[in-house]
Amino acid sequence: MPVTGSPWSLAAAIYETGDGSFVPESVEILPEKAYIHGWYYQPDSILSVTSGGDGFLKAVIICDISSTNQVTHACLSCAQLDKED
């Protein structure tokens, strides 16, 4: 998915046209970064059992943003999966 527009528009695009593997929940905008908090679907992870067994893990999309609040780069981070490796 192309990274364009504001963090809010990126979250909306992920929700509307994504494959359902990330479900946005909230957006937090700071001066140089934005965070799209949500849930990452990972049904095969052993950690999905600890997250309630539904396959969703807490995750965040970390966005670099320009001075006009436009997303310039984004990456997905899931602390639970990082710990699993």
Side-chain angles (χ1 to χ4, degrees), residues 10-78:
L10 177 58
I14 291 169
Y15 181 79
E16 293 172 2
T17 62
D19 63 2
S21 60
F22 183 81
V23 180
E25 185 175 60
S26 66
V27 177
E28 175 184 11
I29 300 175
L30 302 176
E32 295 179 4
K33 297 266 188 202
Y35 301 90
I36 303 171
H37 300 276
W39 299 92
Y40 180 57
Y41 186 62
Q42 196 66 18
D44 296 330
S45 170
I46 192 167
L47 297 172
S48 69
V49 174
T50 62
S51 71
D54 60 2
F56 283 94
L57 305 171
K58 279 194 145 313
V60 63
I61 296 176
I62 304 167
C63 306
D64 293 330
I65 56 174
S66 68
S67 60
T68 58
N69 285 340
Q70 299 300 297
V71 176
T72 59
H73 179 264
C75 67
L76 176 70
S77 177
C78 183

